[in-house]
Amino acid sequence: MKLQRKNRLRALSLGALAVSGALALTACGSDDTSSGDGGKETNANANIKCDDAKGQLAASGSSAQKNAVDAWRKVYTTNCKDVQLNYNPTGSGAGITAFLQGQTAFAGTDSALKPDEIEKSKKVCSNSQAIDLPMVGGPIAVGFNVPGVDELTLDAKTLADIFNNKIKTWDDKAIAKLNPDAKLPKTKVQAFHRSDESGTTDNFTKYLKGAAPDAWPYEPGKSWEPKGGQSANGSAGVAGQVKQTPGAISYFELSYAGEGVKTVDLKTDAKEPVKATVDNASKAISEAKVVGKGKDLALELNYKPTAEGAYPITLVTYEVVCEKGNKAETLPATKSFLTYIASEDGQNVLKENDYAPIPAEIISKVRTTVAGLS
C-alpha cells in the first residue's frame, strides 16, 4: 500500500511538473533531451538558428571531444532536422589529414595547426587558410588500476619515469614516498599510450616536458616516442585497457573515466594534491594565451599554473575550418552548428558532460570569428 501511495504521489508530482514545464517551454522555447549514447541530459535549445542548414555535415578528428559532440549533436539535430551530422572520432592527426584532403567540412584537433598544415590548407580554402577555433576544454585524467589502492598521488617526475619505463612495479620507492599510507602491491606497471596520432598525447607529453624536463627527454608530439609500454587506439581504447588490466595506467579525457576507473591526484606546488576535475582544469585553462595570428585563435596552455588547485594536465580541442572559401554546400550547416556549440547554451553542455567551457574572453572571439566565416 505504501508503494502504491508513493507511486500516486509521484504521478501527481510529474503531472504538475509537466504543466509547469509546458508553460516554461511556451515562454522560453526550449526543452530537455537526452544527449544520447548514454550521455547526460542536456538542454535542447529551440532558439538554435538553422538558417539554410541542410544535408550531410561530415567531420572527423579528436576522440577527446567525442562525448561532447554526441551531446551537441543530439540537441542540434533535434532542432535542425534537415542536417545529418556525422562526426568520426579518428584522432586529431587523421582528422586534420582528412580536412586537408577536402573530405570533411571541419576537423577536431587537440593540438593547434602547425605552420606546414596551415600552408597546406590554402589548397583547400580558396584564397584563404584554415584557422583554429578553441571550443572544448578539459582535464586529461591519469587513470590507474592498482589492486587494493583506491587513491593515488603522483607528481610529474614519477609519471615521467612510469611512462618512460623506468618504474617497473607499483611498490617502487618513488611511488611509496608520495603515498605513505597506501598498501602498494608488487604488481607490474602496465603503462598504456595511444597507438594513433593524438592531440591528447601531445598535451600529455607537453605537461611531462614542461613540468619534469630532466625526467622526460623526448620532444612533445602527437606520436608516442618512448619505446616499450603498451598501446591502444583512441581515448576509449586506453581507458578500456585501464579498466580491465590490473596494474594498468594511462591518460585520457576525464569524460572517458566513467565508472570503475580511478584517477590520479597530481602533486604540484600547491599545498594539497590536485584532483582531475572540470573546475580545477578551468582554473588552469584560464591562464591560456591566444598566440594564433589574425583570425586563428590557437592557445598556449600553461602546464605549470600558479592558481591554487589548478589541475595542470589540460587540453583544448579546436574545430578547424577555413576562414574563407568553405564548401558552399556545407557552409550553412557548418556555421549553424559552430554557432550553437560556441553559444552559452552549447558551452553549458560541456560541464554537464565532464568537459570545461572555454573562458569567456576567448569564446567571445570564437563567436565573432564563426559569424564571419564565408
Side-chain angles (χ1 to χ4, degrees):
M1 292 297 291
K2 290 182 178 180
L3 180 60
Q4 291 176 345
R5 183 172 180 271
K6 183 177 180 181
N7 287 338
R8 286 198 299 271
L9 289 173
R10 183 173 182 271
L12 289 171
S13 176
L14 288 173
L17 285 172
V19 173
S20 62
L23 292 173
L25 290 175
T26 302
C28 304
S30 64
D31 56 30
D32 288 335
T33 184
S34 168
S35 64
D37 301 310
K40 301 174 184 179
E41 288 194 350
T42 56
N43 179 41
N45 184 357
N47 293 319
I48 293 174
K49 293 183 179 180
C50 303
D51 295 327
D52 297 323
K54 60 183 178 180
Q56 297 278 348
L57 183 59
S60 65
S62 166
S63 65
Q65 70 169 358
K66 176 186 179 297
N67 294 333
V69 174
D70 285 344
W72 281 331
R73 175 172 49 198
K74 181 67 176 180
V75 179
Y76 179 77
T77 56
T78 295
N79 291 278
C80 301
K81 300 181 185 299
D82 292 332
V83 178
Q84 291 180 303
L85 173 61
N86 178 29
Y87 182 79
N88 190 0
T90 53
S92 297
I96 291 176
T97 298
F99 177 80
L100 294 178
Q101 292 175 349
Q103 298 174 9
T104 53
F106 67 91
T109 176
D110 308 322
S111 298
L113 293 166
K114 296 178 180 178
D116 64 313
E117 292 170 336
I118 292 177
E119 188 63 30
K120 290 178 182 178
S121 74
K122 294 178 181 179
K123 296 180 180 180
V124 180
C125 307
S126 301
N127 300 315
S128 183
Q129 66 178 46
I131 54 175
D132 299 286
L133 301 176
M135 207 70 79
V136 182
I140 299 175
V142 180
F144 68 95
N145 181 350
V146 182
V149 178
D150 292 326
E151 295 183 0
L152 186 68
T153 296
L154 298 173
D155 59 15
K157 182 183 184 306
T158 307
L159 271 174
D161 287 341
I162 286 174
F163 281 93
N164 199 21
N165 307 298
K166 289 188 175 181
I167 291 179
K168 305 293 186 181
T169 60
W170 282 105
D171 62 347
D172 187 273
K173 292 180 180 179
I175 300 176
K177 184 177 180 180
L178 292 166
N179 300 273
D181 298 327
K183 294 182 179 180
L184 298 168
K186 295 183 180 296
T187 306
K188 180 182 177 181
V189 172
Q190 307 266 18
F192 284 88
H193 59 266
R194 290 279 291 272
S195 60
D196 54 321
E197 284 197 353
S198 163
T200 311
T201 295
D202 190 21
N203 284 278
F204 181 64
T205 53
K206 281 179 179 175
Y207 161 74
L208 296 178
K209 187 69 173 179
D214 293 336
W216 193 255
Y218 312 99
E219 287 302 313
K222 295 177 185 175
S223 298
W224 188 257
E225 282 196 33
K227 295 181 179 180
Q230 301 183 66
S231 64
N233 187 69
S235 296
V238 290
Q241 289 296 331
V242 170
K243 190 170 185 178
Q244 68 186 23
T245 308
I249 184 170
S250 190
Y251 56 92
F252 40 81
E253 297 69 41
L254 182 62
S255 64
Y256 283 89
E259 295 182 4
V261 177
K262 305 178 186 71
T263 59
V264 168
D265 295 342
L266 291 178
K267 186 179 187 305
T268 65
D269 290 336
K271 294 179 181 179
E272 299 293 332
V274 184
K275 294 185 178 298
T277 68
V278 169
D279 288 339
N280 288 346
S282 294
K283 292 177 182 178
I285 294 173
S286 67
E287 296 186 23
K289 298 179 181 179
V290 176
V291 293
K293 298 178 180 179
K295 297 292 185 181
D296 186 84
L297 297 175
L299 301 177
E300 181 178 80
L301 297 174
N302 181 7
Y303 296 100
K304 297 183 73 173
T306 58
E308 190 71 21
Y311 183 81
I313 318 181
T314 60
L315 62 73
V316 168
T317 299
Y318 303 90
E319 313 310 331
V320 174
V321 292
C322 294
E323 180 183 350
K324 297 178 181 178
N326 291 280
K327 295 179 180 178
E329 63 270 23
T330 56
L331 178 59
T334 299
K335 287 187 68 171
S336 173
F337 179 68
L338 295 182
T339 296
Y340 160 60
I341 66 178
S343 70
E344 184 175 351
D345 287 320
Q347 289 291 297
N348 285 340
V349 167
L350 294 177
K351 197 166 183 178
E352 297 168 6
N353 289 273
D354 295 326
Y355 293 96
I358 300 299
E361 63 274 16
I362 297 174
I363 201 65
S364 63
K365 296 178 181 179
V366 173
R367 292 167 187 157
T368 299
T369 302
V370 170
L373 296 179
S374 61

